[in-house]
Amino acid sequence: MIDVPLSVLDLAPVAANGTVGEALRHTTELARRTEELGYRRFWVAEHHNMPSIASSAPAVLLAHLAAHTSTIRLGSGGVMLPNHAPLVVAEQFGTLEALHPGRIDLGIGRAPGTDQVTALALRRTMEGLSAEGFPRELTDLMNYFSGERPGPITATPGRGLQPAVWLLGSSGFSAQLAGLLGLPFSFAHHFSSQHTIPALALYRQHFRPSRFLDEPYAMVAVNAICAETDERAQWLAGPSTLSFLKLRSGRPEPLVTPEQAAEYPYTPAEREFALARRDGQAMGSPETVRGQLTDLLARTGADELMLTSMVYDVADRVRSYELVAEQVVGGLRRQG
């Protein structure tokens, strides 16, 4: 049974024969429709130097999405803190919170969301790019919002305008830190499924009640592609699987069509990688996806699921979320 809130993670996928402008318009269309369907939140993720992803500037994109929606929570899934000065993040998300109070989530990640050369181009120095600096920079960011440690710098906007802060992770580091700080935690099951259960256990084990949460709150992000049949869903999943393979092999490119993905000459090793990529995810007909999501909830005890669908055609992407809302769970608005 799927009795937890459902949310959306979108990467503004860029089609091989499309434009960045079209990709961003499609993300806006998806945000509006998922709001109508009753999804709880809509997040966009920071990635750089990736031709298939247009969500490289979350704060800018979220301002646009907030202006075109009215009730759905909007957030970053996430902002990669090593790429930015904490003061800049506080000012950007303080601005968003001031303009759209009570609707903004600030999901924070420790990885750069790109390769090291691009990360250096963003930061312009190696300082802050290591994992060791992350807790300090997170503390600085939180202090800019709270103003608890007065100093010569005041984040304006920022101070007194703290959005809901989440920590994101694909391993145990951020899980433990989120627990120690008493923050909600979102795990990237969609690309690190083998670490999901251990990371959630670490989060719950280390959780300390805070001014943010009395009890742990864990969200799991999962690839979810729902279509009328299992075969159709697997067909639609082809472009995202191939895109991830190209990325991991150092050859990133825009999202190809399902027909082009089906024609790709996979080697045996690549085929094995592609099959492993889909393991533990949710792809199929409404009945199949219901079973897969129910199983994921049983294994993780997640308090919320965040679905992400890298599908070539926006109509198929929208339809996937409609099928989940209307046929997999039978109406999201009853979930509260």
Side-chain angles (χ1 to χ4, degrees):
M1 181 178 179
I2 303 169
D3 57 356
V4 301
L6 300 185
S7 293
V8 177
L9 171 65
D10 195 66
L11 307 183
V14 181
N17 63 349
T19 67
V20 168
E22 288 172 341
L24 295 173
R25 286 191 291 274
H26 292 161
T27 289
T28 305
E29 177 185 340
L30 184 63
R32 289 173 177 153
R33 182 62 181 132
T34 52
E35 177 179 72
E36 293 172 351
L37 292 166
Y39 285 86
R40 174 165 288 188
R41 59 187 97 238
F42 189 99
W43 284 7
V44 296
E46 177 186 350
H47 292 284
H48 301 278
N49 196 28
M50 297 184 187
S52 62
I53 295 174
S55 57
S56 58
V60 179
L61 181 53
L62 290 173
H64 174 77
L65 297 177
H68 288 81
T69 56
S70 58
T71 58
I72 196 168
R73 293 194 65 89
L74 299 165
S76 57
V79 162
M80 302 296 112
L81 192 55
N83 296 339
H84 311 282
L87 176 59
V88 172
V89 177
E91 291 173 339
Q92 290 176 342
F93 279 78
T95 299
L96 288 168
E97 180 66 23
L99 290 170
H100 308 281
R103 291 185 61 203
I104 304 301
D105 297 328
L106 172 54
I108 300 169
R110 178 173 63 93
T114 186
D115 58 87
Q116 287 296 308
V117 173
T118 308
L120 181 58
L122 288 161
R123 189 72 182 229
R124 297 189 298 171
T125 174
M126 291 301 294
E127 184 179 354
L129 292 179
S130 66
E132 290 74 18
F134 181 75
R136 184 191 71 251
E137 296 206 333
L138 177 61
T139 298
D140 290 344
L141 173 62
M142 300 295 276
N143 285 337
Y144 282 128
F145 284 128
S146 67
E148 290 177 354
R149 295 185 182 178
I153 301 173
T154 299
T156 307
R159 183 175 181 178
L161 292 167
Q162 181 168 310
V165 176
W166 291 67
L167 285 194
L168 281 55
S170 57
S171 63
F173 182 94
S174 292
Q176 293 183 60
L177 185 58
L180 292 170
L181 296 177
L183 291 171
F185 177 61
S186 179
F187 189 81
H189 178 81
H190 59 301
F191 66 80
S192 188
S193 60
Q194 68 273 26
H195 299 300
T196 305
I197 304 300
L200 293 178
L202 283 172
Y203 171 59
R204 292 166 180 141
Q205 175 187 341
H206 289 86
F207 183 84
R208 298 176 182 173
S210 69
R211 63 188 177 94
F212 307 108
L213 288 175
D214 294 326
E215 298 178 346
Y217 191 93
M219 179 164 64
V220 172
V222 56
N223 285 306
I225 298 177
C226 192
E228 281 71 13
T229 65
D230 290 349
E231 293 76 18
R232 173 74 176 167
Q234 295 295 330
W235 170 259
L236 295 176
S240 63
T241 301
L242 181 58
S243 177
F244 194 72
L245 173 65
K246 293 289 185 72
L247 175 64
R248 283 298 175 91
S249 61
R251 300 172 289 137
E253 61 181 38
L255 214 59
V256 300
T257 66
E259 290 80 6
Q260 291 170 318
E263 293 171 357
Y264 179 80
Y266 281 92
T267 66
E270 289 175 335
R271 181 68 63 185
E272 183 178 350
F273 175 90
L275 291 174
R277 165 75 173 155
R278 298 183 183 186
D279 185 48
Q281 309 301 317
M283 297 179 187
S285 66
E287 182 178 0
T288 298
V289 169
R290 185 185 305 113
Q292 291 166 331
L293 293 181
T294 299
D295 177 68
L296 181 62
L297 281 173
R299 290 187 292 113
T300 63
D303 300 289
E304 186 170 341
L305 292 178
M306 177 162 275
L307 315 183
T308 182
S309 303
M310 281 282 280
V311 174
Y312 177 82
D313 190 283
V314 67
D316 291 319
R317 199 148 106 245
V318 170
R319 183 59 181 155
S320 178
Y321 287 106
E322 289 175 341
L323 288 171
V324 170
E326 296 167 354
Q327 297 188 29
V328 172
V329 300
L332 285 171
R333 294 200 179 278
R334 289 197 295 272
Q335 295 182 24

